[in-house]
Amino acid sequence: MSVVQNQEDGVSLFGEDIVQLCGFKIGGQHFAIPVLEVQEVIKSEQVTRLPLAPVHIKGLINLRGQIVTLVSLRSLFGLDEKEDEDSMHIIVRSGDSLFSLMVDGISDVLDISLKSYEETPSTLKDDIKKYISGVYKLEDDLIVQLDLDKLLDRKENK
Amino acid sequence: MSSGQIVKEFLIESFENLSNISDQLTQYENERENKDLLNSIYRKVHTLKGSANFLNYKKLQEVTHNAENLLDDLREKKVELSSNIIDVLLKTFDCCQVILQNIESNDKEGNIDIAGLIDELKRIQQAHSLKENILEMRSPLSTGTVFSHDSFKGIEMKKASNSSHIPTEDVSSNEAGLKIVLPEIGPSKEEVSTEVKDEKEETPTKNIADSVVRVNVELLDKIMNVVGELVLNRNQILQYAGSYENSELNRLAQQLNGITTELQTDIMTTRMQPVGTVFAKFDRVVRDLSRSQDKKIKLSVLGKETELDKTLLDAIRDPLTHLIRNAADHGIETPEKRTQNGKSNEGHIQIRAYHEGGQVTIEIQDDGQGLDPEKISRKALEKGIVTKDELERMSKNQIQSLIMMPGFSTVDKVTNLSGRGVGMDVVKSNIEKIGGSVDISSEPGNGSVFKLKIPLTLAIVPALVIEARKETFAIPQVNLVELVRIEDEHIDKKIERIHQNEFFRLRGNLIPVFRLGKELDLEPVSQDEITKNIDKSLSVAVLNAEGVTYGLIVDQVLDTQEIVVKPLSKNLKELSVFAGATIMGDGHVALIVDALGFYNKVTTGTVNKAMKSNVKVEESEDQDSYSESKEILLTELGDGQDYGIPLVLVSRLEELSCSSIEWSGDRALMRYRNKSMPLIDMEKALDLKGDSLLARVKNTEVDKNDRFDCVVVKIGGQSLGLVVKEIKDIAITDSEVSNDIVAHPGMMGTVFIGERTITIIDVHTVLKKNGIKTKTNAIKKGRILLVEDSPLYQKIQMEILNEHGFEVVLEENGRAGLERLQKEEFDLVVTDIEMPEMNGWEFASAVRKLEDDKLRTKPIVAVSTRVSKEDLAKGVKSGFTKHLEKFDKDEVLEAINFCMAS
């Protein structure tokens, strides 16, 4: 997959509509969120634990003076935690606050043709299904696009 | 400038104008001679009309035009002012407000019917006919023409189209139907205002608007944020500079510190506005209410220059309005009712604002009918907000505060002004949201005072930084009452346990304490860390929130700092335990503990009976000044009855496992803190019917893993465990122990607790019966005069002193004591303070005035429940050698030995 130069709506040379996604891996599965929702990507920072918070909220970190809430997507999806100190985090904004999404690894920015969009297959775990806004089928892979607001606006405590 | 922006500017300016017009009209009603005021109103209406015309808002035009005419007539004295006219004018401007709101939300004036209003206005101007230019104003302005007219008003119209930002072609696509494209727009804004001014030659008032700059609140917020960042960064730099010991760096860091502090103060000042801006509305509110309800109400405002941060002002606007409405609606009675009750027929509502101790206090006081506790109690019971039991335990004040509970409303019929059952609790939560508090005090029949306390600024607060289980937390200073450090040896005495709850004795009062690390479920520190930490003393932060006082046990107290409060993200806000987070000097994040939120969390579900009875006592007024409050531990024994043990004798309350009970012949004992502790069978000792746990254990009727309650007392240096069926409660009573009904030996007498009569156990007799020999432990034996009026304390103190080898002579009050002292030889006097006939202070003063040297200098040890600073000072003045709190056995003995030795 090549990276297209222009940033905006991403009209490819072939005239197809393309969407740009930031890809990452969790538990071997490929996920993505629109590039425009990503503020930055950082290395793991010192975390202050947040007592009494839901299990998937790992704590708070200091990002250049801003308080950012650290969310473990593995935990949110019901997977076991990994003891990886050097994981990368994706910083996104939802509502008024910043969140740092803990993922297993970060892939490239992907240009995906809207043609490969499909409805969410019912075979995926219920746990994850509620966060999914859609799925893109590529030749050798399935990329699951996550809905950021649903991911982060959860009010219930586990 | 786009057309949308013109409309926006128009709206901002017009809302402000309307608001001012309304305020000034209300003011004018009471100041009918004030021509300046009337002119000012007129000018504003005029401006409004002009802008409406320019933007072709027809309804607005018509309404304001008619209003303007009426105002002109008033000015020219062609029409006489009446309250009725003010009503109509106010209605007119309210209508304009609605139109503006419609424009704001829909870009259109809306369907509002102004015909009725116009009629009223016209009718009032009976003698005055409408000018034809109204018709002209209704026609749409055509492109390229400046609306000119040879009449006076026409010229003004032209000038009123004053925007110096000339709209171009974009305007024509505006939905509001702007068709005006005037490239050769008239004179600029400044010129217009000066010209308008010149025409009105009556009073050339200085235009204060010249020295003021209008700034968007969002921009101010942004600047505040940036300053907040700067403060954090400064903290970090200061910290690092400190660790580098480079003098030049230090100097520069200090400079930065000074500059930042100044900037911080100045920026906060820009956001400060006088509360008067909010108060100004209330004149109107009170006026409208008093007219609609036929009441006479006077509103006075004090301290309107008091300043508050803009966001806080915005937050208190609605709550304050509600309180004023309440005062006028429910508080102040009708004139008839008032005169019936001997009051003046005009009610008085007073708002007072002032600074006090880092907070702004706003008091709303009325001399109306006050809050009726009876009525409130009834309603609260009806709505299920409290139970009958709870009500019984409440003071008048607490009952009155019930009106702030959700779901409460005492009005029999809901008026559309207040009393929908969503009022006071919303007021309370809104004020608390900004960190403030609401306090009610009211005298039924005389009036009420609502006191709002609001912190001066939200974001940057001084806080105490503490450590618990290696994690750092901050506690805002506003909640911090004091810090107490309990040395290792004293921990047993000061921290007491009742089942799972721990309590701390702070100057006679029992307050609950919680361990921060435990409650937050933090990572336990490893065993090595604990043993490494030689300093085993405890630090307790005494916090206060909403009238609740409690202690927080932390591992380490670090320092006080100014921190910037950063809010947690919305979905974490449910963690009410934390008020936010902050970034420390070294860059890591620390959580800010919310004193009230933490307390609520740790006390849900736990029945803190002891706390409640404590509260009951604190509320009791009219205490008999001679009887001191005694703390009695209530326990249930095998016969199913409750018995009391004086808490002063109790060392610890434990729940132990039956498996730890060992037997030495017939006697039960167990290993307790590395010593052997005899266990006393209470039922046996007191000859009671019913089971004794120890007997059952002996007969192996009890499972080894069962647990039992045990009251540990320390007599003569030895710990003894009194085995009871159940430890129930701690009660505090003022009633004296009466010896009238003594059922058995081993019982001291009875006491009234609440509504019951409880038998008090004589622990010393019980121990003697069990053959427990107590060691004596005196450095020097001697003769002590004990002056004490309470039978309970008499007995206890005598026992203890005897036990320790002193001969004790007892007198019941100061006078008798004074006589005895002069008749017989004593080495020292131990005296109570609160006694009939002659209290401890008077006794000591009298002793210090005796002629005999030996008598005059006799050591006097005062032991009393009164140990406040004033009491201690008074004690020194009266001549106490030592002044101790009741009742710390070891302290008293130490003091006695000390005095005797010297």
mmCIF file of all heavy atoms in Angstrom, chain A residues 5-32:
data_model
loop_
_atom_site.group_PDB
_atom_site.id
_atom_site.type_symbol
_atom_site.label_atom_id
_atom_site.label_comp_id
_atom_site.label_asym_id
_atom_site.label_seq_id
_atom_site.Cartn_x
_atom_site.Cartn_y
_atom_site.Cartn_z
ATOM 1 N N GLN A 5 0.072 11.347 -1.396
ATOM 2 C CA GLN A 5 0.654 12.613 -0.937
ATOM 3 C C GLN A 5 -0.372 13.581 -0.371
ATOM 4 O O GLN A 5 -0.192 14.154 0.673
ATOM 5 C CB GLN A 5 1.403 13.301 -2.095
ATOM 6 C CG GLN A 5 2.580 12.510 -2.610
ATOM 7 C CD GLN A 5 3.678 12.413 -1.564
ATOM 8 O OE1 GLN A 5 3.574 12.965 -0.486
ATOM 9 N NE2 GLN A 5 4.742 11.681 -1.908
ATOM 10 N N ASN A 6 -1.441 13.779 -1.095
ATOM 11 C CA ASN A 6 -2.360 14.825 -0.620
ATOM 12 C C ASN A 6 -3.127 14.393 0.638
ATOM 13 O O ASN A 6 -3.519 13.256 0.787
ATOM 14 C CB ASN A 6 -3.325 15.225 -1.735
ATOM 15 C CG ASN A 6 -3.967 14.009 -2.381
ATOM 16 O OD1 ASN A 6 -3.412 12.922 -2.365
ATOM 17 N ND2 ASN A 6 -5.134 14.202 -2.963
ATOM 18 N N GLN A 7 -3.352 15.344 1.521
ATOM 19 C CA GLN A 7 -3.929 15.065 2.834
ATOM 20 C C GLN A 7 -5.455 15.021 2.850
ATOM 21 O O GLN A 7 -6.035 14.268 3.582
ATOM 22 C CB GLN A 7 -3.507 16.141 3.841
ATOM 23 C CG GLN A 7 -2.021 16.343 3.949
ATOM 24 C CD GLN A 7 -1.322 15.178 4.611
ATOM 25 O OE1 GLN A 7 -1.835 14.066 4.644
ATOM 26 N NE2 GLN A 7 -0.125 15.423 5.114
ATOM 27 N N GLU A 8 -6.034 15.818 2.066
ATOM 28 C CA GLU A 8 -7.489 16.046 2.243
ATOM 29 C C GLU A 8 -8.351 14.847 1.915
ATOM 30 O O GLU A 8 -8.145 13.772 2.404
ATOM 31 C CB GLU A 8 -7.937 17.265 1.435
ATOM 32 C CG GLU A 8 -7.257 18.558 1.826
ATOM 33 C CD GLU A 8 -7.565 18.976 3.248
ATOM 34 O OE1 GLU A 8 -8.579 18.506 3.801
ATOM 35 O OE2 GLU A 8 -6.779 19.750 3.811
ATOM 36 N N ASP A 9 -9.338 15.034 1.103
ATOM 37 C CA ASP A 9 -10.295 13.972 0.887
ATOM 38 C C ASP A 9 -9.692 12.775 0.192
ATOM 39 O O ASP A 9 -10.272 11.712 0.154
ATOM 40 C CB ASP A 9 -11.485 14.487 0.062
ATOM 41 C CG ASP A 9 -12.112 15.691 0.739
ATOM 42 O OD1 ASP A 9 -12.254 15.638 1.962
ATOM 43 O OD2 ASP A 9 -12.416 16.669 0.043
ATOM 44 N N GLY A 10 -8.554 12.933 -0.275
ATOM 45 C CA GLY A 10 -7.831 11.767 -0.797
ATOM 46 C C GLY A 10 -8.439 11.152 -2.053
ATOM 47 O O GLY A 10 -8.893 10.011 -2.048
ATOM 48 N N VAL A 11 -8.505 11.916 -3.043
ATOM 49 C CA VAL A 11 -9.001 11.324 -4.298
ATOM 50 C C VAL A 11 -7.806 10.738 -5.029
ATOM 51 O O VAL A 11 -6.841 11.425 -5.293
ATOM 52 C CB VAL A 11 -9.659 12.407 -5.182
ATOM 53 C CG1 VAL A 11 -10.114 11.814 -6.488
ATOM 54 C CG2 VAL A 11 -10.821 13.038 -4.437
ATOM 55 N N SER A 12 -7.897 9.461 -5.282
ATOM 56 C CA SER A 12 -6.732 8.805 -5.875
ATOM 57 C C SER A 12 -6.655 9.090 -7.380
ATOM 58 O O SER A 12 -7.543 9.691 -7.956
ATOM 59 C CB SER A 12 -6.819 7.310 -5.626
ATOM 60 O OG SER A 12 -7.667 6.738 -6.596
ATOM 61 N N LEU A 13 -5.587 8.606 -7.907
ATOM 62 C CA LEU A 13 -5.376 8.837 -9.335
ATOM 63 C C LEU A 13 -6.471 8.180 -10.149
ATOM 64 O O LEU A 13 -6.773 8.594 -11.248
ATOM 65 C CB LEU A 13 -4.022 8.259 -9.758
ATOM 66 C CG LEU A 13 -2.809 8.890 -9.049
ATOM 67 C CD1 LEU A 13 -1.555 8.092 -9.329
ATOM 68 C CD2 LEU A 13 -2.638 10.329 -9.494
ATOM 69 N N PHE A 14 -7.082 7.144 -9.569
ATOM 70 C CA PHE A 14 -8.086 6.424 -10.334
ATOM 71 C C PHE A 14 -9.469 6.990 -10.142
ATOM 72 O O PHE A 14 -10.425 6.451 -10.617
ATOM 73 C CB PHE A 14 -8.085 4.948 -9.939
ATOM 74 C CG PHE A 14 -6.800 4.279 -10.293
ATOM 75 C CD1 PHE A 14 -5.804 4.148 -9.340
ATOM 76 C CD2 PHE A 14 -6.568 3.826 -11.587
ATOM 77 C CE1 PHE A 14 -4.600 3.553 -9.668
ATOM 78 C CE2 PHE A 14 -5.371 3.220 -11.914
ATOM 79 C CZ PHE A 14 -4.377 3.086 -10.953
ATOM 80 N N GLY A 15 -9.579 8.054 -9.392
ATOM 81 C CA GLY A 15 -10.890 8.671 -9.222
ATOM 82 C C GLY A 15 -11.768 7.987 -8.199
ATOM 83 O O GLY A 15 -12.942 8.277 -8.080
ATOM 84 N N GLU A 16 -11.225 7.034 -7.451
ATOM 85 C CA GLU A 16 -12.039 6.392 -6.427
ATOM 86 C C GLU A 16 -11.986 7.217 -5.152
ATOM 87 O O GLU A 16 -11.042 7.941 -4.901
ATOM 88 C CB GLU A 16 -11.487 5.021 -6.094
ATOM 89 C CG GLU A 16 -11.632 4.020 -7.197
ATOM 90 C CD GLU A 16 -10.924 2.747 -6.787
ATOM 91 O OE1 GLU A 16 -10.201 2.751 -5.759
ATOM 92 O OE2 GLU A 16 -11.094 1.749 -7.475
ATOM 93 N N ASP A 17 -13.001 7.029 -4.284
ATOM 94 C CA ASP A 17 -12.934 7.706 -2.989
ATOM 95 C C ASP A 17 -12.080 6.877 -2.036
ATOM 96 O O ASP A 17 -12.228 5.652 -1.942
ATOM 97 C CB ASP A 17 -14.341 7.847 -2.387
ATOM 98 C CG ASP A 17 -15.071 9.000 -3.037
ATOM 99 O OD1 ASP A 17 -14.406 10.010 -3.351
ATOM 100 O OD2 ASP A 17 -16.282 8.882 -3.240
ATOM 101 N N ILE A 18 -11.192 7.563 -1.375
ATOM 102 C CA ILE A 18 -10.274 6.869 -0.465
ATOM 103 C C ILE A 18 -10.398 7.477 0.911
ATOM 104 O O ILE A 18 -10.553 8.685 1.062
ATOM 105 C CB ILE A 18 -8.838 7.001 -0.980
ATOM 106 C CG1 ILE A 18 -8.666 6.105 -2.182
ATOM 107 C CG2 ILE A 18 -7.837 6.672 0.102
ATOM 108 C CD1 ILE A 18 -7.230 5.833 -2.520
ATOM 109 N N VAL A 19 -10.334 6.622 1.879
ATOM 110 C CA VAL A 19 -10.333 7.132 3.245
ATOM 111 C C VAL A 19 -8.989 6.789 3.867
ATOM 112 O O VAL A 19 -8.415 5.741 3.594
ATOM 113 C CB VAL A 19 -11.515 6.506 4.030
ATOM 114 C CG1 VAL A 19 -11.423 4.996 4.050
ATOM 115 C CG2 VAL A 19 -11.543 7.048 5.428
ATOM 116 N N GLN A 20 -8.457 7.720 4.679
ATOM 117 C CA GLN A 20 -7.154 7.480 5.290
ATOM 118 C C GLN A 20 -7.329 7.052 6.729
ATOM 119 O O GLN A 20 -7.953 7.750 7.532
ATOM 120 C CB GLN A 20 -6.316 8.758 5.242
ATOM 121 C CG GLN A 20 -5.797 9.038 3.858
ATOM 122 C CD GLN A 20 -4.666 10.048 3.912
ATOM 123 O OE1 GLN A 20 -4.825 11.081 4.552
ATOM 124 N NE2 GLN A 20 -3.570 9.745 3.263
ATOM 125 N N LEU A 21 -6.787 5.909 7.045
ATOM 126 C CA LEU A 21 -6.934 5.390 8.395
ATOM 127 C C LEU A 21 -5.578 5.162 9.033
ATOM 128 O O LEU A 21 -4.610 4.831 8.361
ATOM 129 C CB LEU A 21 -7.672 4.051 8.366
ATOM 130 C CG LEU A 21 -9.082 4.043 7.782
ATOM 131 C CD1 LEU A 21 -9.613 2.621 7.772
ATOM 132 C CD2 LEU A 21 -10.001 4.930 8.594
ATOM 133 N N CYS A 22 -5.586 5.329 10.348
ATOM 134 C CA CYS A 22 -4.378 5.013 11.102
ATOM 135 C C CYS A 22 -4.559 3.596 11.624
ATOM 136 O O CYS A 22 -5.501 3.323 12.383
ATOM 137 C CB CYS A 22 -4.234 5.999 12.253
ATOM 138 S SG CYS A 22 -2.894 5.578 13.372
ATOM 139 N N GLY A 23 -3.710 2.692 11.209
ATOM 140 C CA GLY A 23 -3.886 1.298 11.580
ATOM 141 C C GLY A 23 -3.087 0.888 12.796
ATOM 142 O O GLY A 23 -2.002 1.407 13.053
ATOM 143 N N PHE A 24 -3.628 -0.025 13.569
ATOM 144 C CA PHE A 24 -2.885 -0.559 14.706
ATOM 145 C C PHE A 24 -3.358 -1.978 14.987
ATOM 146 O O PHE A 24 -4.415 -2.410 14.521
ATOM 147 C CB PHE A 24 -3.040 0.304 15.946
ATOM 148 C CG PHE A 24 -4.447 0.661 16.294
ATOM 149 C CD1 PHE A 24 -5.193 -0.094 17.173
ATOM 150 C CD2 PHE A 24 -5.033 1.800 15.727
ATOM 151 C CE1 PHE A 24 -6.495 0.241 17.496
ATOM 152 C CE2 PHE A 24 -6.339 2.151 16.044
ATOM 153 C CZ PHE A 24 -7.071 1.367 16.936
ATOM 154 N N LYS A 25 -2.566 -2.681 15.766
ATOM 155 C CA LYS A 25 -2.871 -4.076 16.031
ATOM 156 C C LYS A 25 -3.191 -4.280 17.499
ATOM 157 O O LYS A 25 -2.531 -3.732 18.382
ATOM 158 C CB LYS A 25 -1.652 -4.928 15.683
ATOM 159 C CG LYS A 25 -1.588 -5.343 14.241
ATOM 160 C CD LYS A 25 -0.358 -6.226 14.019
ATOM 161 C CE LYS A 25 -0.721 -7.481 13.271
ATOM 162 N NZ LYS A 25 -0.734 -7.458 11.869
ATOM 163 N N ILE A 26 -4.214 -5.073 17.715
ATOM 164 C CA ILE A 26 -4.514 -5.480 19.087
ATOM 165 C C ILE A 26 -4.833 -6.962 19.056
ATOM 166 O O ILE A 26 -5.742 -7.394 18.351
ATOM 167 C CB ILE A 26 -5.732 -4.738 19.648
ATOM 168 C CG1 ILE A 26 -5.460 -3.236 19.685
ATOM 169 C CG2 ILE A 26 -6.029 -5.225 21.060
ATOM 170 C CD1 ILE A 26 -6.620 -2.429 20.194
ATOM 171 N N GLY A 27 -4.076 -7.721 19.797
ATOM 172 C CA GLY A 27 -4.346 -9.140 19.866
ATOM 173 C C GLY A 27 -4.329 -9.814 18.499
ATOM 174 O O GLY A 27 -5.143 -10.674 18.207
ATOM 175 N N GLY A 28 -3.430 -9.366 17.653
ATOM 176 C CA GLY A 28 -3.307 -10.001 16.351
ATOM 177 C C GLY A 28 -4.307 -9.479 15.328
ATOM 178 O O GLY A 28 -4.172 -9.729 14.129
ATOM 179 N N GLN A 29 -5.285 -8.769 15.792
ATOM 180 C CA GLN A 29 -6.300 -8.253 14.868
ATOM 181 C C GLN A 29 -5.939 -6.824 14.459
ATOM 182 O O GLN A 29 -5.414 -6.063 15.241
ATOM 183 C CB GLN A 29 -7.659 -8.279 15.595
ATOM 184 C CG GLN A 29 -8.799 -7.626 14.873
ATOM 185 C CD GLN A 29 -9.278 -8.451 13.700
ATOM 186 O OE1 GLN A 29 -9.298 -9.681 13.771
ATOM 187 N NE2 GLN A 29 -9.639 -7.792 12.629
ATOM 188 N N HIS A 30 -6.254 -6.516 13.211
ATOM 189 C CA HIS A 30 -5.932 -5.203 12.671
ATOM 190 C C HIS A 30 -7.095 -4.244 12.872
ATOM 191 O O HIS A 30 -8.210 -4.496 12.424
ATOM 192 C CB HIS A 30 -5.695 -5.344 11.154
ATOM 193 C CG HIS A 30 -4.453 -4.631 10.723
ATOM 194 N ND1 HIS A 30 -3.546 -5.193 9.855
ATOM 195 C CD2 HIS A 30 -3.969 -3.406 11.036
ATOM 196 C CE1 HIS A 30 -2.554 -4.330 9.650
ATOM 197 N NE2 HIS A 30 -2.792 -3.246 10.361
ATOM 198 N N PHE A 31 -6.854 -3.119 13.544
ATOM 199 C CA PHE A 31 -7.900 -2.117 13.735
ATOM 200 C C PHE A 31 -7.448 -0.789 13.146
ATOM 201 O O PHE A 31 -6.277 -0.609 12.804
ATOM 202 C CB PHE A 31 -8.189 -1.897 15.223
ATOM 203 C CG PHE A 31 -8.785 -3.098 15.894
ATOM 204 C CD1 PHE A 31 -7.977 -4.053 16.491
ATOM 205 C CD2 PHE A 31 -10.159 -3.263 15.932
ATOM 206 C CE1 PHE A 31 -8.521 -5.148 17.114
ATOM 207 C CE2 PHE A 31 -10.717 -4.365 16.549
ATOM 208 C CZ PHE A 31 -9.899 -5.317 17.144
ATOM 209 N N ALA A 32 -8.394 0.132 13.054
ATOM 210 C CA ALA A 32 -7.998 1.448 12.537
ATOM 211 C C ALA A 32 -8.996 2.516 12.953
ATOM 212 O O ALA A 32 -10.145 2.233 13.278
ATOM 213 C CB ALA A 32 -7.938 1.399 11.012
#
